[in-house]
Amino acid sequence: MSAPFRITRPKVRRVDAGKAEGAKDYLDRLTKLIPTEVISAYLIGKGVLVSGDTAETPISYWVGWTVFGFVLVVISRMFGTADPKENQPPQLIAVMIACVSYLVWIYSMGDVFALLNLYEPKLGVLIMVGWTALTPFLYKGS
């Protein structure tokens, strides 16, 4: 499958498509703009970092793991939104939104941000819920 994360605007919308098609388009963009595959990988690494005595886990491990996840988002979205068969470059706006989405989700969990004294739990949850709900409205594709 070429460009699995590429977001495209519907070419023709039927008059009777209504709310069901709009909801489908919204959910399609939502799943492509929130990098759940990388967030899942991050959670696996987080499980390793918190196992045992967490006081012995250096902050550099947390920073490194968070940065590694960010790089994975960039790579997956750059390749996942490009369509070489159709000679279409990556969708840079979608890549940037996915990067912000990753950081918002990681912030909502605390982790490295808590260790750096940059974390406010209630704010993290509110930002995550708001960002996730609004993200599909930010970019509707090319």
Side-chain angles (χ1 to χ4, degrees), residues 7 9 11 21 30 39 49 53 59 66-68 70-71 76 79 84 86 88 96 124 127:
I7 299 170
R9 291 179 186 264
K11 302 226 185 306
E21 282 298 314
L30 178 65
I39 294 168
L49 292 175
D53 186 6
I59 192 168
T66 304
V67 170
F68 178 74
F70 186 85
V71 170
S76 71
F79 284 103
E86 299 292 326
Q88 294 178 327
M96 289 186 289
I127 290 172

Side-chain angles (χ1 to χ4, degrees), residues 92-115:
L92 296 180
I93 295 173
V95 173
M96 289 186 289
I97 291 172
C99 288
V100 172
S101 297
Y102 169 79
L103 292 174
V104 164
W105 275 74
I106 300 310
Y107 181 80
S108 74
M109 293 180 239
D111 302 339
V112 71
F113 295 100
L115 293 171

Side-chain angles (χ1 to χ4, degrees), residues 34 101 103-110 119-135:
I34 305 294
S101 297
L103 292 174
V104 164
W105 275 74
I106 300 310
Y107 181 80
S108 74
M109 293 180 239
Y119 179 59
E120 172 57 46
K122 291 178 184 176
L123 180 63
V125 171
L126 293 173
I127 290 172
M128 187 266 300
V129 170
W131 178 259
T132 301
L134 295 176
T135 296

Side-chain angles (χ1 to χ4, degrees), residues 1 13 17 19 26-27 32-33 36 43-44 60 70 75 77 84 86-87 93 99 101 106 120 127-128 134:
M1 174 178 6
R13 182 166 302 266
K19 294 179 183 176
Y26 173 88
L27 292 173
K32 292 178 180 180
L33 292 170
T36 54
L43 289 172
I44 293 169
S60 61
F70 186 85
I75 292 169
R77 290 314 193 261
E86 299 292 326
N87 199 26
I93 295 173
C99 288
S101 297
I106 300 310
E120 172 57 46
I127 290 172
M128 187 266 300
L134 295 176

